Amino acid sequence: MSEKKFDELQKLYDNSKVGSLVQEICEYYATLDGYEDNSYQDEIEPPEIVESVYLLFCTQSREQILDELAIVQKKYPELYRSLSGMHNTLLINMDYRSLEKSCGERIAQYAQNTSLEEVLSCAESCSRTSDNLSEAVDKFYTWLHSRRR
């Protein structure tokens, strides 16, 4: 990770206007391109569904997340470059139900023997019973890992 990205990430953590989920997303995308030879795959969640999980939980509070991503875009341009594609996906999908469905389907395929309805129900439940969306994502991954065994 470049020193500029690292500095911006440190400043982002001190910005009270940006919630923990957006901070986590920024850290994920900023550090992702710093790994060589896919060595990150043992250290993070399954790369084939990470963006789908993030997008699924971003739809739980879409307007707030879009506001926070706009702050990242304006104040932390180096960080933003790493996640601009994900932000654009969230922006252009005004029908968030369609985005939820496509993300949920990818996650259901990954989880094996899990329906779209189960994925969406779990995401909603995790969001409702958590203090913040970052905590909800953690609960969701715990559930998802239990489905892969």
Side-chain angles (χ1 to χ4, degrees):
M1 173 176 14
S2 73
E3 193 166 321
K4 178 87 169 141
K5 269 189 195 176
F6 183 76
D7 289 343
E8 285 185 358
L9 195 55
Q10 291 301 314
K11 290 176 185 173
L12 175 73
Y13 290 134
D14 293 333
N15 189 331
S16 61
K17 294 180 181 176
V18 179
S20 58
L21 179 61
V22 171
Q23 290 175 349
E24 180 180 324
I25 291 169
C26 288
E27 180 180 350
Y28 172 77
Y29 282 101
T31 58
L32 184 64
D33 50 348
Y35 289 100
E36 297 175 10
D37 303 325
N38 294 327
S39 63
Y40 63 88
Q41 290 189 359
D42 293 334
E43 299 174 29
I44 59 173
E45 298 299 343
E48 61 270 22
I49 61 159
V50 170
E51 185 168 299
S52 292
V53 170
Y54 281 146
L55 284 169
L56 180 62
F57 280 87
C58 285
T59 64
Q60 302 297 311
S61 188
R62 186 177 180 274
E63 294 307 315
Q64 175 189 337
I65 298 295
L66 286 174
D67 289 346
E68 292 176 18
L69 289 171
I71 291 169
V72 172
Q73 183 178 18
K74 182 178 179 182
K75 291 191 169 198
Y76 314 104
E78 197 67 29
L79 275 178
Y80 181 76
R81 278 189 200 95
S82 301
L83 62 106
S84 63
M86 192 208 92
H87 182 214
N88 287 333
T89 299
L90 191 59
L91 270 173
I92 63 172
N93 282 279
M94 295 304 289
D95 176 11
Y96 73 93
R97 295 285 180 203
S98 173
L99 182 58
E100 266 185 341
K101 183 179 178 192
S102 66
C103 291
E105 286 171 345
R106 271 186 243 124
I107 296 165
Q109 288 175 342
Y110 170 82
Q112 302 168 346
N113 299 317
T114 302
S115 70
L116 168 63
E117 292 75 22
E118 289 172 306
V119 169
L120 296 179
S121 175
C122 182
E124 183 181 331
S125 175
C126 290
S127 296
R128 219 178 32 256
T129 61
S130 300
D131 292 334
N132 59 58
L133 288 175
S134 185
E135 181 183 306
V137 168
D138 290 343
K139 285 182 180 180
F140 183 80
Y141 274 124
T142 299
W143 172 81
L144 188 60
H145 291 308
S146 74
R147 305 294 294 191
R148 293 273 303 175
R149 291 183 189 152

